[in-house]
Each structure stands twice: as C-alpha cells, then as structure tokens.
Amino acid sequence: MFVDAIERIDPFTRPLHSIVRLYGHSDIIPGSATLFFVNEEGCAVTCKHVAELITNADAIYQNHLNFLAERRAVQREKNIAHHLSRLEEKYKLRPETLVRVRNSFVNCVDVFREVSIDMHPTQDLAILRFRGFNRTLYRSYATFLRDTSRVKVGRSLCRLGYPFPDFTNFRFNPTTDDIEWTTEGRTASPRFPIDGIITRLLTENGEVTAIEMSTPGLRGQSGGPLFDTNGLIYGMQSATRHLHLGFDIENRDVLVNGRITRVSNYPFLNVGQCVHVDVIKQFLRERGVKYYEG
C-alpha cells in the first residue's frame, strides 16, 4: 500500500545517530532519531526533544570536564570519598547521568560549518539549518499536504524512521577516556515504516495541533514524516501515548505450558502522536523557511 510512497519519502528522510556515555561507565549506548528535509537549502525538521540532545551536548561534556578537573585537584587529599561525594553533588552526577553525547548526521550534507536550530515555543518541533555545506547528500525534499481538510479520522497513513540503532562505528578510547566515532564497523541503520489510521485530532486552546495514530511510533522514529500513499506529508512523529484500557487482571490463575500460574496484567493501548502538518507549515513560515505543498 505504501511501497511507492516510501520510495518517494526515503530520499529526504535521514537518521541522526547518537552515542552516549553515563557517569562512571565506559560502556557506550547507541541511539537514533529521524529528521527530514523540507527544501534544497539544507533545512530540515525534527522533534524539539531530539534537537535538545544536539544543543545540550557541549554543555553536558563541559560539566563533566569541570568535574574531572576538580577531582584531579583532590585526588591525593585525605578522605577522598567525602570529596568525591561532594563533587558529584555539585555537578549533579548520578550513575544514570549523561556525561558525553556525540551526534552524527548521516548522509545529510557533505560537510558543514554549523547547524542552527530553531525550537517551537510550545510544540515538539524544531528546524535544523545546515550551514557551510558544499552539496547535499539527501535527494529531493518533502511536499506538505496543502488541503488539510483531508486530515480525517480513519485515514490510513504511514511513518518512516530509524528506530533500531544497528550502527557499530564507535568505540571507547581508554587513552583519552572518551567515546568516539571510528571508520570501522557498520555506519548504517535500517529504515523502518509503520502504518496505522488516524484515531483522533488533538487540540490545544481550541486549535488542532496533533494527530493521534492507532499504532505507536517507535522511539527512533521521532522526527520522521507522517505521509499518505501519494507521499504527501501530513505531520511528524513526535511521541507515543499509553492509554490504560481498564481490562486489568490481578492474581488470576491461568494455564501456562500445562501448569497453573498466577498472573496479573494491566493492559495499555500504545498510540502514536504526530505534530500536525499545519503546525509545521506555520512554524516554517514564521522562520522564513521555504517549503513545498501539493
């Protein structure tokens, strides 16, 4: 149903690969997100929560560097455990705290000087502008739905993104005590479509701002396009909501593999939430970004 549309969407939809390190660990956690380009000028859109990971990367690392500098200064002090605890409190470091984030924009442009980011004040939406590139590595760009009266409950739509971070081109460098990208290993992650139907239009202050889908958006699909069978963009995957169904089971005996087992179950329906196309187009207009409609 969406075979031809995916072939039209894929050339301008790109993954953002990320590697992160947590405080006190050398293990590397890979992750991915999605963005898509809206014109030939190096302008793309993604989720605000994805853009925040990009903009906060330097501050996260600088906080860790400041901590390391102070830790070295007290390394030979008596009661080092007390000093370390004080520094961890000062720099808000816990075992789950991010201390390093590195991002890689895959097949977006050949080189770039900077990426400027505009974040929507209320919606999970951001504009990325690549500056200083020589040529684009994406092919074509999005065409947004002009007649948004077609955004109706029951319409079948699809999302495309990169939820599975299968890339392996990274390592921990013990010499520098840092994580880094390498030229070895897999550099790509598989694209992954997921379809569904529109179940509700979500509003804020009387204005439609989001589209609810009958199927969840997967984590790395955040920032990916929502489109119809013609490849027209209806919105952007943003979040997954968990609706409690109320069919709860508590301490019920059921037969499992030939044995009576006591189980409890609290079912939820996972539905996708997408930024509405009108919100995206309005924000692009406000920021002076060219886009196309069809």
Side-chain angles (χ1 to χ4, degrees):
M1 184 177 186
F2 291 99
V3 174
D4 293 337
I6 290 171
E7 293 306 309
R8 285 193 285 271
I9 296 294
D10 180 73
F12 58 79
T13 303
R14 291 292 182 261
L16 169 68
H17 287 170
S18 300
I19 51 175
V20 303
R21 180 187 180 190
L22 302 181
Y23 173 63
H25 298 274
S26 60
D27 294 337
I28 301 174
I29 304 172
S32 59
T34 307
L35 56 93
F36 65 95
F37 286 88
V38 301
N39 60 33
E40 67 277 21
E41 299 172 351
C43 298
V45 293
T46 190
C47 292
K48 179 160 63 174
H49 74 263
V50 173
E52 287 171 343
L53 188 66
I54 300 169
T55 59
N56 292 338
D58 288 342
I60 289 171
Y61 187 45
Q62 189 59 55
N63 184 70
H64 189 228
L65 290 178
N66 293 341
F67 163 77
L68 293 177
E70 288 204 44
R71 188 181 69 176
R72 284 192 295 270
V74 300
Q75 206 82 49
R76 297 183 179 180
E77 296 284 339
K78 294 180 179 179
N79 198 5
I80 181 63
H82 170 73
H83 289 294
L84 182 59
S85 177
R86 179 180 58 82
L87 289 176
E88 289 173 339
E89 186 68 27
K90 176 180 178 180
Y91 289 100
K92 298 180 172 58
L93 296 176
R94 302 288 184 271
E96 70 280 3
T97 303
L98 293 178
V99 295
R100 185 62 152 145
V101 179
R102 285 186 178 271
N103 298 301
S104 175
F105 298 97
V106 181
N107 292 329
C108 290
V109 295
D110 56 351
V111 295
F112 60 90
R113 183 179 67 255
E114 65 171 332
V115 179
S116 63
I117 298 176
D118 294 316
M119 299 193 192
H120 196 284
T122 61
Q123 303 303 314
D124 191 16
L125 172 64
I127 300 171
L128 279 59
R129 307 187 209 214
F130 291 81
R131 304 188 188 277
F133 61 89
N134 298 315
R135 62 186 179 91
T136 62
L137 301 182
Y138 63 92
R139 308 181 311 279
S140 76
Y141 33 79
T143 301
F144 291 95
L145 178 69
R146 176 181 287 113
D147 179 11
T148 56
S149 67
R150 294 171 59 186
V151 185
K152 293 182 177 180
V153 171
R155 185 174 296 279
S156 293
L157 299 174
C158 187
R159 284 151 292 177
L160 187 68
Y162 295 87
F164 305 113
D166 286 352
F167 59 93
T168 60
N169 58 327
F170 56 84
R171 68 172 182 174
F172 173 73
N173 187 332
T175 303
T176 60
D177 189 31
D178 198 6
I179 60 176
E180 59 189 22
W181 298 106
T182 70
T183 57
E184 301 174 348
R186 288 192 303 273
T187 60
S189 293
R191 68 185 187 184
F192 193 89
I194 186 167
D195 66 344
I197 65 169
I198 299 176
T199 49
R200 288 186 291 188
L201 301 180
L202 308 178
T203 62
E204 291 183 16
N205 301 318
E207 298 288 334
V208 175
T209 58
I211 300 169
E212 183 186 85
M213 297 294 294
S214 60
T215 52
L218 305 181
R219 187 179 296 272
Q221 288 178 323
S222 292
L226 173 72
F227 53 93
D228 67 8
T229 53
N230 296 313
L232 292 176
I233 304 300
Y234 278 59
M236 180 189 70
Q237 171 61 32
S238 168
T240 291
R241 304 171 69 217
H242 314 290
L243 309 181
H244 183 218
L245 296 178
F247 304 132
D248 300 335
I249 297 173
E250 293 186 330
N251 298 322
R252 178 174 297 182
D253 291 337
V254 297
L255 191 64
V256 179
N257 294 327
R259 294 187 303 175
I260 296 296
T261 304
R262 180 157 293 185
V263 300
S264 295
N265 185 34
Y266 307 93
F268 286 78
L269 177 65
N270 299 315
V271 296
Q273 181 169 318
C274 303
V275 179
H276 194 282
V277 61
D278 281 342
V279 174
I280 300 174
K281 292 193 296 184
Q282 180 178 344
F283 191 47
L284 291 173
R285 287 194 299 270
E286 291 173 354
R287 294 299 186 269
V289 176
K290 178 168 63 172
Y291 65 89
Y292 297 86
E293 293 180 295

